[in-house]
Amino acid sequence: MGIKSALPKYEIYFYNTVLCLATLWAGSWVLDVSSSGANRKAFKPSVKPGWYYFGRKRDSADLEWVMWFSTFREHILFALAGHVLFAKICSMLAPKHRSLVYMVYGMLAVWTSLGWTYVTLILSHCILLYSVSLVKIRWLCFVTGLCTLATFKCEPFVSWQAGFVDGDFDLRHIFFYGGCGFTIMRCMSFALENCERKDGNYSILELLKYNFYLPFFYFGPIMTFDKFYVQANKSDLSRKEWGLWNISLHGLTHLGVVIMVDLLFHFMYILTIPNDLKLLKHSSDWALVGLAYFNLVYDWVKAAVMFGIINTVSRLDHLDPPKPPKCITMLYMFSETHFDRGINEWLCKYVYDHLGGKHENVVEELVASLCTFGVTILWLGPCEVVLVWAFFNCFGLNFELWTAKFFAMEPFASLEIGMSEATSRRIRAVFNTFNFWSIVLYNILALNSLDFAKLVAKRLLLKGFPFTTIIVMFVTYCLVQVIKERERRQALIDDPDPLPPAAPPTNTSTTSSSTPTSAAAAPPAAQPVVDPSKEKAE
């Protein structure tokens, strides 16, 4: 059935009401656990004094969030503000050479923070992959890039390359791995795009401009070279109407979200509690379910805010960066699950879509997904948690295709055609409910720990059965229906249904003494025309 299948309004209102009440109920349990365990010994390393105005302690378990918005916010803001200032001056004086100025400022900033030896290390990797790209053999560029990326994941290569970094400060480790990892991925994108170019080669200067763009250098997101090259070298720097206002509004929105998240960390210790298994074993089922869900939502918020701040700066430079990731609240399919849209687009463009084609063949899909998650494992760093996470997500992605193929056969296809669109949507939502919790359980492996994921799964499926299981699945079913309703409305905006043809004009000159025969000869009322090509399969 189509994505535009509608349900009665009262049913949608009921689903929204249940979802809001369940979220508040789970949040109250998490708040209760946070307040009762604020003085536990296990909380001391991560729960520290917060804002003076509240008089409460604050969850500081996420070092990345603390680094961005507490410890080193002045340094990060200073570097980005300097980039914006130089970019604005350059766009006014020499707009054709602005990408070159971006490169010079980025190299100077990296030189200042990590030393000239680190810049030399980055340049050596760029020169290596540029040299390989001149051969224009796609598989050779890919193998070289993956081998280079592997040198940052295994000894003794990691220690040897880490020796190129000058100074000893808290951000040294993050800057080193972030800069090197994203450099290799960008260089691979450049090499693969150079292989596709038929007339000549891109210059190494274009690679350096692409790699040393400071907002993307350390933390991403990754923009593929073909998009960056076109956008960074365009001469027309005019903006759309209200363009600058929208950029400013996005920046203020991200600032508001940062304040709101910091405020919630004073009342809900969602990052610290999962590390205290003794406390979790005595917590309620709703507290565990809420913690699992809120952890995934927070990880999306963190990615959206951090990438959003960087994207705001890049939009000021007239670039169109990757969009924020899709929120877990709007996901029920493995094929749409990702927490970094830049990496996701990179993997889809160069691996997943390249090997999987139209993603209709089971064998091709299996090979494409295995290769995609193989590259992802190497990107994240091979370890037990990453391997388990990759296995389950790869299985879920393929299982979706297997299930779709199975239910497309008879007699299931005929059964679905015979039922109404609303009934089909409800049945699909039941299956999507189990899919949603598979996504949640598989991804808290990477965000928290294997023990926490096991505890949530046991409490949800075994110890909490049937009462907790049925209630949680029903609430999730309501969530899936709310997501489908949002998708339906967006589909109607993007692809509205065709309007019926206009009725023929009425002859006003006809007198009231018209004969019955002439009235009977009038054409019948026009019926709406349904275009079957507008039907969209889920």
Side-chain angles (χ1 to χ4, degrees):
M1 295 295 175
I3 195 174
K4 298 179 182 178
S5 305
L7 294 178
K9 286 187 176 181
Y10 67 83
E11 188 174 344
I12 299 299
Y13 293 150
F14 172 75
Y15 293 147
N16 279 283
T17 303
V18 170
L19 185 60
C20 292
L21 293 175
T23 304
L24 293 174
W25 180 251
S28 66
W29 280 102
V30 176
L31 179 62
D32 181 65
V33 174
S34 302
S35 300
S36 61
N39 296 318
R40 292 175 62 88
K41 290 183 178 180
F43 282 24
K44 287 184 178 180
S46 56
V47 177
K48 299 178 181 179
W51 293 356
Y52 172 77
Y53 309 101
F54 294 108
R56 292 181 60 91
K57 294 182 178 179
R58 175 177 173 273
D59 193 345
S60 305
D62 191 343
L63 298 178
E64 194 173 14
W65 182 272
V66 173
M67 175 199 74
W68 263 82
F69 304 111
S70 296
T71 313
F72 294 97
R73 62 186 174 192
E74 292 84 5
H75 301 78
I76 295 173
L77 286 174
F78 178 78
L80 293 179
H83 173 86
V84 172
L85 179 62
F86 275 93
K88 184 62 178 178
I89 295 174
C90 178
S91 62
M92 294 172 60
L93 300 179
K96 293 183 179 180
H97 304 289
R98 58 194 180 93
S99 59
L100 186 62
V101 175
Y102 299 160
M103 180 198 74
V104 173
Y105 180 81
M107 293 182 73
L108 290 175
V110 175
W111 190 336
T112 304
S113 58
L114 296 180
W116 68 270
T117 53
Y118 180 75
V119 176
T120 305
L121 175 66
I122 295 296
L123 287 174
S124 65
H125 286 296
C126 292
I127 293 172
L128 172 63
L129 283 166
Y130 177 77
S131 302
V132 175
S133 70
L134 298 178
V135 184
K136 292 200 172 185
I137 301 178
R138 188 182 180 89
W139 68 265
L140 182 60
C141 296
F142 221 100
V143 171
T144 305
L146 294 179
C147 291
T148 308
L149 184 61
T151 61
F152 294 99
K153 308 297 180 181
C154 58
E155 294 290 350
F157 304 104
V158 177
S159 300
W160 177 72
Q161 293 183 96
F164 285 88
V165 180
D166 295 339
D168 186 13
F169 53 97
D170 294 340
L171 285 178
R172 178 179 180 272
H173 181 79
I174 297 175
F175 277 6
F176 171 74
Y177 284 104
C180 293
F182 282 112
T183 291
I184 300 304
M185 301 297 278
R186 283 188 289 263
C187 288
M188 289 178 66
S189 176
F190 173 87
L192 294 171
E193 293 296 335
N194 193 59
C195 292
E196 298 296 327
R197 187 175 187 178
K198 297 180 180 179
D199 51 336
N201 300 286
Y202 293 107
S203 68
I204 192 171
L205 184 62
E206 297 296 338
L207 172 58
L208 297 179
K209 291 178 184 178
Y210 171 51
N211 186 61
F212 282 99
Y213 180 68
L214 184 63
F216 295 164
F217 184 80
Y218 287 119
F219 305 108
I222 290 180
M223 179 188 289
T224 54
F225 175 75
D226 55 332
K227 295 181 179 179
F228 182 88
Y229 179 77
V230 172
Q231 296 175 22
N233 292 289
K234 65 180 180 181
S235 56
D236 183 16
L237 300 183
S238 60
R239 299 186 188 276
K240 296 180 180 179
E241 187 179 2
W242 300 100
L244 195 59
W245 167 257
N246 291 331
I247 294 174
S248 303
L249 185 62
H250 276 94
L252 293 174
T253 302
H254 295 134
L255 178 61
V257 173
V258 170
I259 295 174
M260 184 183 69
V261 172
D262 242 29
L263 180 64
L264 289 176
F265 277 162
H266 287 78
F267 298 93
M268 301 174 69
Y269 305 146
I270 60 173
L271 304 178
T272 299
I273 296 174
N275 297 323
D276 191 352
L277 294 179
K278 291 182 180 179
L279 178 62
L280 290 174
K281 290 178 181 178
H282 297 90
S283 301
S284 67
D285 296 344
W286 278 100
L288 280 176
V289 171
L291 280 170
Y293 177 71
F294 291 148
N295 265 267
L296 286 177
V297 173
Y298 163 72
D299 194 73
W300 170 81
V301 170
K302 181 179 73 172
V305 169
M306 291 196 299
F307 288 147
I309 293 173
I310 293 174
N311 290 350
T312 301
V313 176
S314 62
R315 286 193 181 98
L316 291 173
D317 296 335
H318 302 272
L319 298 180
D320 184 19
K323 297 179 181 179
K326 195 171 184 179
C327 181
I328 185 64
T329 309
M330 295 296 163
L331 288 175
Y332 57 85
M333 300 289 287
F334 278 94
S335 57
E336 298 180 357
T337 306
H338 55 268
F339 291 93
D340 184 341
R341 197 181 292 267
I343 291 290
N344 181 74
E345 291 178 356
W346 193 100
L347 290 170
C348 288
K349 180 179 178 64
Y350 300 121
V351 185
Y352 187 59
D353 292 339
H354 184 75
L355 297 176
K358 296 181 179 180
H359 305 289
E360 296 177 351
N361 185 278
V362 174
V363 177
E364 290 181 353
E365 178 73 7
L366 180 61
V367 172
S369 58
L370 286 173
C371 293
T372 302
F373 279 100
V375 176
T376 307
I377 290 171
L378 186 59
W379 164 252
L380 296 175
C383 62
E384 181 184 5
V385 172
V386 173
L387 291 172
V388 174
W389 168 85
F391 171 78
F392 281 116
N393 278 273
C394 184
F395 171 77
L397 184 63
N398 284 275
F399 188 72
E400 283 181 355
L401 179 62
W402 302 340
T403 306
K405 291 286 187 183
F406 178 75
F407 283 102
M409 297 187 298
E410 295 294 342
F412 304 107
S414 299
L415 288 174
E416 186 174 18
I417 293 174
M419 65 179 65
S420 65
E421 291 189 350
T423 304
S424 173
R425 172 173 162 173
R426 295 186 185 102
I427 294 175
R428 286 175 177 269
V430 172
F431 288 98
N432 295 145
T433 298
F434 297 98
N435 214 35
F436 179 89
W437 272 102
S438 298
I439 294 173
V440 172
L441 292 174
Y442 294 168
N443 283 281
I444 60 175
L445 287 170
L447 299 179
N448 297 107
S449 65
L450 186 60
D451 294 331
F452 178 63
K454 288 180 180 178
L455 186 62
V456 174
K458 287 181 180 178
R459 192 73 69 86
L460 179 62
L461 302 176
L462 299 177
K463 291 185 177 181
F465 186 83
F467 185 72
T468 302
T469 307
I470 293 175
I471 292 180
V472 171
M473 291 302 171
F474 174 71
V475 172
T476 309
Y477 170 83
C478 296
L479 172 61
V480 172
Q481 289 289 13
V482 171
I483 299 172
K484 286 180 176 290
E485 182 65 18
R486 184 178 181 274
E487 292 176 345
R488 185 187 74 85
R489 294 180 180 180
Q490 188 62 41
L492 291 175
I493 295 174
D494 297 338
D495 186 16
D497 291 330
L499 297 174
T506 305
N507 190 357
T508 56
S509 62
T510 306
T511 60
S512 58
S513 59
S514 299
T515 61
T517 307
S518 62
Q527 299 295 325
V529 178
V530 180
D531 185 2
S533 65
K534 295 293 183 181
E535 293 283 340
K536 290 186 177 180
E538 280 190 61

